């Protein structure tokens, strides 16, 4: 009912990072794509097969050193239901290897509809008395614009199934401030207000490390706000995107951690997935080993700056 | 590049409503469910088949009198990739019958990731030079919490493919005010600020009826705000949920329309889908005709109160 399984994984591996699995076709070595197209043609199904095979190699190479993966739903939906099936297979495979899976879907809706998303991504779906895990992630990213009605159904599933969520608080993109940085009537910014809501929603889901099951997404590209929010939200665990390709460095993510060196998990997607393209003379068949080397480099870099 | 195709359909049928396709298994007559389970078992695949067959009957019964359908992605994702396939089939079938399809996904993300959602739901996906429509909706609901970066990629696809979108402005749920009703530094509420952003984003996508391709979701459950926003946002077309099962009546939606009687499309989901349960002595095989009767009743009721 909290994010304790994630925090435990981070501690055991001494690695506060998550590998983003946002596979685009041009991140995938040609030999994997060709093998998929030979089976299924240059189709959505062929592309989806390539996505899964690429992910499988990455998961195999990372699962003993990186505690979590974060597949981004958009990159699978782009390939239709066939891509969504590759998402489901990726989640199942990562879990079979012991990884914690954060499904990055930024889902949001009201009451019963949000309940459907919560069942889809974290819980189980009932078909005439039989229960099925539709996607089976361990945590889901959620957009909180709709208020408590849009979060409560996720809280309920988290309680029931020992799952967690991350609410968008201060996102990593350049225009995130257009709305999120505005101050509201009590003088607090919108992102801070959303952060305070996370603290409140999390009360029902407290874990043993002092962090609740309601985490927050806070971008590495805004280190000042990251530090402000770390102090203001002592029970809210952070998922930090924006490290690497988006411009955030190790020093930028340091403020995300508490005095015990926990409190955040830092995501890298392109940096890890595309590491093989940056090593000169590398055989593309060794793409996953290149990803592993980058994941270790990132782990060590981040450990060197956190408390 | 605007919502003109929707507005044209509304005018031609003299019907400013959209049928929400949010099928839950217990909305579906038993004979449809049984037939699906006989083929595919009591599985996610069986459930998904029942969803599609139910929708197909509704679309057949509604397509000459209701201009649009709005499938809610959550209710399909709940049944896994098999459910998502039923969503894709539902969209394709509704389009083949000439209906305008609003995919209610409330998607949101940053830059390149939002581009992937836009391609998935409104545009085309490239696989090695071949183009595929992954889902092929005509409009997508979008959550604007991330600002312009999260909307611009959708605008680009709308321009290119003559599609539209609806941004969440003032949602219909009881807790929508927790954040959306707060006032920000310039004295405007957050929902009004989001509405103003819709006007601005829409400038690039103006249509011939004076409305842009960037619509807004505004709930029927807040008629006062609906009227305020109609006046404040003259180029923003409204998608209005909350009529019927959520408590909004015909008088509540009247303020959504402009002086020419356009400017909004009113959604009903449960009211139409479950109409067959309310007609005493009805043969469940006539569920779609019951839906048609309710759709006509709703059309006439709403036409009687709008300008």
């Amino acid at each position: 009912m909290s994010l304790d399984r994630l925090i435990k994984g981070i501690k055991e591996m001494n690695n506060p990072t998550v590998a983003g699995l946002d596979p685009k076709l041009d991140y995938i070595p040609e030999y994997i794509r060709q093998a998929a197209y030979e089976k299924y043609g240059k189709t959505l199904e062929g592309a989806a097969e390539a996505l899964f095979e690429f992910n499988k190699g990455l998961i195999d190479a990372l699962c003993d050193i990186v505690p979590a993966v974060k597949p981004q739903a958009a990159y699978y939906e782009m390939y239709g239901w066939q891509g969504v099936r590759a998402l489901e297979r990726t989640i199942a495979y990562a879990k079979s290897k012991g990884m914690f899976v954060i499904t990055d879907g930024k889902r949001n809706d009201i009451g019963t509809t949000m309940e459907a998303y919560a069942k889809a991504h974290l819980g189980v779906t009932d078909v005439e008395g039989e229960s099925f895990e539709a996607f089976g992630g361990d945590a889901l990213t959620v957009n909180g614009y709709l208020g408590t009605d849009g979060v409560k159904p996720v809280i309920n599933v988290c309680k029931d199934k020992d799952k967690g969520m991350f609410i968008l608080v201060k996102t990593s993109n350049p225009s995130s401030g257009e709305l999120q940085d505005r101050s509201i009537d009590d003088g607090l910014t919108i992102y801070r207000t959303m952060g305070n809501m996370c603290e409140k929603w999390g009360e029902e889901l407290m874990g043993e490390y002092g962090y609740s099951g309601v985490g927050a997404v806070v971008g590495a590209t805004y280190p000042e706000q990251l530090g402000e929010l770390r102090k203001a939200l002592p029970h809210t665990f952070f998922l930090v995107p924006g490290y690497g390709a988006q411009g955030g460095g190790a020093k930028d993510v340091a403020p995300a951690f508490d005095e015990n060196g926990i409190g955040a998990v830092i995501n890298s997607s392109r940096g890890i997935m595309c590491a093989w393209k940056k090593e000169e003379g590398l055989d593309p068949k060794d793409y996953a080993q290149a990803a592993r080397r980058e994941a270790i480099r990132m782990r060590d870099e981040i450990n060197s700056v956190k408390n």
Side-chain angles (χ1 to χ4, degrees), chain A:
Chain A
M1 58 176 251
S2 63
L3 290 163
D4 282 359
R5 286 189 293 124
L6 172 61
I7 299 171
K8 198 159 171 269
I10 288 171
K11 285 177 161 275
E12 282 172 3
M13 291 185 185
N14 189 30
N15 187 354
T17 73
V18 49
L21 297 177
D22 313 357
K24 293 186 166 185
L25 279 182
D26 57 0
Y27 296 175
I28 303 180
E30 204 188 341
Y31 80 95
I32 293 180
R33 285 183 281 138
Q34 287 312 325
Y37 301 146
E38 273 165 33
K39 271 197 219 167
Y40 302 104
K42 289 182 179 173
T43 60
L44 294 179
E45 194 168 9
E49 173 70 11
L51 261 51
F52 174 68
E53 286 298 328
F54 179 64
N55 287 345
K56 192 164 168 283
L58 291 173
I59 291 166
D60 285 338
L62 298 174
C63 64
D64 64 324
I65 54 160
V66 178
V69 288
K70 181 177 76 65
Q72 165 52 259
Y75 291 103
Y76 301 85
E77 284 181 37
M78 192 165 74
Y79 297 99
W81 62 262
Q82 298 91 335
V84 175
R85 184 171 59 185
L87 172 63
E88 186 268 331
R89 293 174 72 196
T90 296
I91 293 170
Y93 191 74
K95 284 171 69 184
S96 79
K97 294 289 178 175
M99 298 184 97
F100 187 92
V101 178
I102 302 167
T103 304
D104 195 356
K106 300 185 174 61
R107 296 302 194 247
N108 63 108
D109 217 294
I110 69 173
T112 50
T113 305
M114 197 61 198
E115 196 182 312
Y117 276 132
K119 284 180 180 176
H121 293 286
L122 302 175
V124 295
T125 297
D126 175 87
V127 179
E128 314 288 344
E130 300 282 323
S131 284
F132 297 89
E133 269 200 343
F135 290 96
D138 295 301
L140 177 67
T141 58
V142 168
N143 185 319
Y145 185 73
L146 287 81
T148 301
D149 301 337
V151 172
K152 188 80 189 170
V154 191
I155 292 176
N156 292 342
V157 170
C158 288
K159 258 188 199 169
D160 199 36
K161 301 284 176 192
D162 189 22
K163 303 285 176 98
M165 79 186 90
F166 292 94
I167 308 271
L168 302 187
V169 168
K170 173 66 184 166
T171 56
S172 61
N173 55 312
S175 72
S176 74
E178 284 177 14
L179 193 73
Q180 298 162 27
D181 288 0
R182 304 290 292 270
S183 290
I184 54 179
D185 33 30
D186 56 8
L188 294 182
T189 55
I190 290 178
Y191 71 77
R192 177 70 177 274
T193 304
M194 190 65 87
N196 289 346
M197 288 160 94
C198 293
E199 283 281 304
K200 188 159 168 283
W201 291 324
E203 286 170 5
E204 291 182 64
L205 297 174
M206 279 306 297
E208 60 181 83
Y209 299 100
Y211 288 101
S212 84
V214 182
V217 175
V218 187
T221 44
Y222 298 102
E224 201 180 308
Q225 286 85 343
L226 198 49
E228 171 204 343
L229 290 167
R230 178 67 294 145
K231 285 185 192 71
L233 312 175
H235 309 102
T236 303
F237 198 84
F238 293 167
L239 168 62
V240 182
Y243 170 88
Q246 283 183 55
K251 280 186 186 158
D252 297 321
V253 303
F257 296 97
D258 67 18
E259 66 279 10
N260 302 311
I262 61 170
V265 66
I266 315 300
N267 180 75
S268 171
S269 301
R270 265 171 290 176
I272 290 176
M273 283 186 296
C274 298
W276 67 276
K277 292 190 170 191
K278 292 190 176 158
E279 287 190 23
E280 216 168 319
L282 185 87
D283 182 344
K285 293 201 171 169
D286 294 331
Y287 78 95
Q289 287 308 310
R292 184 182 170 93
R293 284 188 285 275
E294 168 60 17
I296 290 171
R297 192 205 60 74
M298 179 187 171
R299 175 196 70 192
D300 294 344
E301 185 182 69
I302 290 171
N303 278 335
S304 77
V305 297
K306 76 177 172 69
N307 295 305

